[in-house]
Amino acid sequence: MIYLDYAATTPVDKRVSERIHQVLTTEFANPSSVYQAGKHQKHQLNQARNQLKQLLNAVDYDAYFTSGATESNNWAILSQAMKARSLNLGNHIVATAVEHPSVNSVLAYLETQGFEVTYLAPKKERFSAEQFIQASRKETIGWVAMWVNNELGTRLPIEAIGAAAREYVHWFHVDAVQALGYSMVDLSTIAVTSLSGSGHKFYAPKGIGFLLYQPWNPALTLSPLLHGGGQESGLRSGTENVPYILGMVHALELTKESDWQHSQDLSDYLFERLNALKIPYQRNGKDTVPYIISLYFSDLLASQLLIQLDLAGIAVSAGSACSAGSLEVSHVLKAYYPNEEARHHQTIRISLGRDTTKADINALVETINELQERKQTLWHSQQKQL
Ligand code: PMP
C-alpha cells in the first residue's frame, strides 16, 4: 500500500512499539499497587507526565492521560462550560465552524443543555482573533479553536486568538491534534486553558491521548467524566494505560523538526509534478501546513478518484477519515467555500508523513493523470458522436 493518509492515523514507530512491548511484558505492574513493582510504574508514569509537559513547554500545566483526543475534547469543553455556567459567568461559547466532530458534537450537545454557541465561518479562507472578539458579549464564557485543520491543513492564528481570549473570556480550548509532532506546539508562547492531543497522529498507538489544563480562573476546576478508583488525581478514573502512555511520550520525544522539512520537500515535489502534467487543480485553504494537502480537481469527482487510487493501492482521504467511511459533504469545505458545490465533491486530502517518498508521490500523480486522460479521451469521443 502507498499510504498518503497520515492525518487519519500514523503507523507506530518501531522504537515506540519496542518500548511498549517492554512495558507490556516486563513492567506490567499496576501503578496503584503498593509493592515495589507498582511503585516503579507510578514513578515511570509521573516521569512521563513531566516529560510531556517539558516537551510542550507546559511545565505550569496539569497533564492528564486519556483514551485520545475525543475524550480530551469532550472533557475540557464540557467541564469548563458547565463550571462557568454554575458560577453564573454566562452560557455563550464562540467556536469555529470547522472543528472536528469530537468538538462540534460536544458543542451541539451543550446547545441542547441551554448553552448558546456562535460558529464562526472563515473570512476569505482565514480566521482571526477579531472575529472571536466581535462575536463575544457579556455572557460569553469561552472560545474554542483548533490549531491545524485536519481536512485542509489550514493553520489558525492560535497565538492571536489566545492573547485575545485571555482578555475577553474565562477559558480557551485548543484541539492541537494535527499540530503535534512538528515542534510547533509551545505552550510558553500561547495562552490557552486546555489543549488536547492524540498519540496516533504522531507515531504512537490509537486509544491514547492527553489533556493539558491550566485555568485562568482558579474556580474553573475540571470535573471528572469518569468516576471510579481516583486515578489521575481523582479526575480520570481507570487503571492507567502505562505501556501506551510511555510509548506516546517517547513518540513525542522522537518527533523532529526535520519531519516538517521532509513534508515541505515532498509537497513542493507534488505540485511540481501536477504542474508538469498540466493537471487542473487548486489547493484548498490558505496558511497551510506542508503535511496536509487538500486538492480540488476541477475535472474529477473525489469518489471516482478515491476508487481509482484505491485500485492502484494508494490510500488517501476525501473529507475527514473520522466521519467514518462516509462520503458526506464535508462541513469544513462547506464553511470555507459555501457557494462552490463542485469543490465539495471534487476534493481529496493527501497527507504526508515520515515514511513518504518521492516514489509515492509519483505513483499518486500518475494515477491521477491516467484518470484525467481517460476522462478527456471519453469527452473527445462523445464530442465526435454529437
Ligand atoms: N481532533 C482532530 C483535529 C482530529 O483529527 C482527530 C482524529 N481524526 C481527533 C480530534 C480525534 O482524536 P482521537 O482519534 O484520538 O479520538
Side-chain angles (χ1 to χ4, degrees):
M1 171 177 58
I2 294 172
Y3 188 71
L4 295 168
D5 204 16
Y6 284 79
T9 196
T10 57
V12 177
D13 186 294
K14 197 161 173 286
R15 293 162 294 180
V16 172
S17 60
E18 277 166 8
R19 179 82 182 103
I20 293 172
H21 185 255
Q22 180 199 352
V23 186
L24 278 173
T25 50
T26 58
E27 302 174 38
F28 54 83
N30 188 322
S32 298
S33 297
V34 291
Y35 41 83
Q36 280 187 27
K39 282 194 189 138
H40 177 64
Q41 287 316 94
K42 177 73 120 210
H43 176 69
Q44 300 253 64
L45 184 61
N46 288 335
Q47 265 194 332
R49 200 185 310 280
N50 288 334
Q51 199 184 354
L52 172 75
K53 294 200 264 181
Q54 269 159 16
L55 286 167
L56 301 176
N57 253 329
V59 281
D60 297 333
Y61 283 73
D62 288 323
Y64 303 98
F65 295 112
T66 64
S67 63
T70 298
E71 181 184 335
S72 304
N73 286 334
N74 270 261
W75 188 14
I77 297 169
L78 287 176
S79 204
Q80 294 179 96
M82 296 290 188
K83 189 56 76 70
R85 184 169 67 177
S86 75
L87 295 168
N88 289 322
L89 298 173
N91 71 341
H92 177 236
I93 297 166
V94 182
T96 83
V98 300
E99 297 299 313
H100 184 267
S102 61
V103 166
N104 61 29
S105 309
V106 181
L107 296 171
Y109 168 73
L110 285 172
E111 287 181 279
T112 70
Q113 301 303 302
F115 286 85
E116 209 193 314
V117 183
T118 299
Y119 297 94
L120 301 173
K123 279 195 180 149
K124 296 197 179 140
E125 300 172 71
R126 286 193 171 95
F127 288 98
S128 67
E130 201 50 45
Q131 285 179 283
F132 279 84
I133 296 171
Q134 274 170 12
S136 297
R137 41 187 204 246
K138 195 167 67 51
E139 58 281 11
T140 309
I141 45 178
W143 292 353
V144 182
M146 69 203 318
W147 200 313
V148 170
N149 184 268
N150 53 309
E151 295 189 29
L152 264 56
T154 42
R155 218 171 144 164
L156 277 73
I158 291 301
E159 292 85 352
I161 302 172
R166 194 83 174 93
E167 254 183 80
Y168 286 85
V169 283
H170 301 282
W171 55 269
F172 177 38
H173 176 70
V174 172
D175 173 345
V177 167
Q178 300 288 351
L180 288 154
Y182 292 91
S183 311
M184 187 193 328
V185 177
D186 176 348
L187 286 180
S188 67
T189 60
I190 60 155
V192 304
T193 54
S194 52
L195 179 133
S196 53
S198 175
H200 74 103
K201 309 288 176 161
F202 53 88
Y203 307 91
K206 298 157 191 59
I208 188 74
F210 64 85
L211 176 68
L212 294 176
Y213 191 64
Q214 189 198 42
W216 294 332
N217 173 348
L220 279 180
T221 49
L222 281 179
S223 310
L225 274 189
L226 304 178
H227 303 266
Q231 289 87 349
E232 299 287 282
S233 311
L235 290 174
R236 203 276 179 182
S237 286
T239 305
E240 300 91 336
N241 188 346
V242 185
Y244 276 26
I245 291 170
L246 301 191
M248 174 176 70
V249 175
H250 190 41
L252 196 59
E253 191 190 358
L254 292 170
T255 59
K256 309 183 290 290
E257 264 169 64
S258 59
D259 287 341
W260 179 285
Q261 192 54 48
H262 178 65
S263 299
Q264 185 67 62
D265 293 345
L266 289 169
S267 150
D268 293 347
Y269 183 66
L270 167 65
F271 291 120
E272 214 177 274
R273 296 281 294 129
L274 288 170
N275 294 338
L277 291 168
K278 298 195 167 50
I279 299 172
Y281 74 89
Q282 281 175 44
R283 181 172 190 174
N284 296 315
K286 293 224 160 69
D287 305 330
T288 45
V289 293
Y291 49 90
I292 301 179
I293 302 161
S294 173
L295 294 179
Y296 164 37
F297 292 100
S298 46
D299 292 341
L300 301 171
L301 277 177
S303 51
Q304 283 176 338
L305 249 175
L306 287 186
I307 293 170
Q308 209 57 40
L309 290 168
D310 191 26
L311 287 172
I314 303 171
V316 302
S317 256
S320 151
C322 306
S323 31
S326 69
L327 274 189
E328 234 175 71
V329 170
S330 136
H331 68 289
V332 177
L333 286 172
K334 275 201 223 163
Y336 273 92
Y337 306 104
N339 305 315
E340 296 188 51
E341 218 182 302
R343 197 187 287 261
H344 304 163
H345 297 279
Q346 294 173 211
T347 285
I348 64 166
R349 177 187 73 183
I350 294 143
S351 44
L352 315 174
R354 234 181 246 168
D355 302 325
T356 312
T357 61
K358 279 190 172 175
D360 297 339
I361 303 289
N362 285 336
L364 170 80
V365 175
E366 273 151 31
T367 311
I368 297 171
N369 193 42
E370 270 167 34
L371 187 63
Q372 176 78 33
E373 281 180 347
R374 228 181 301 147
K375 281 214 106 169
Q376 264 163 2
T377 319
L378 192 66
W379 187 82
H380 286 304
S381 66
Q382 278 168 348
Q383 293 299 304
K384 272 191 208 143
Q385 282 166 18
L386 288 176

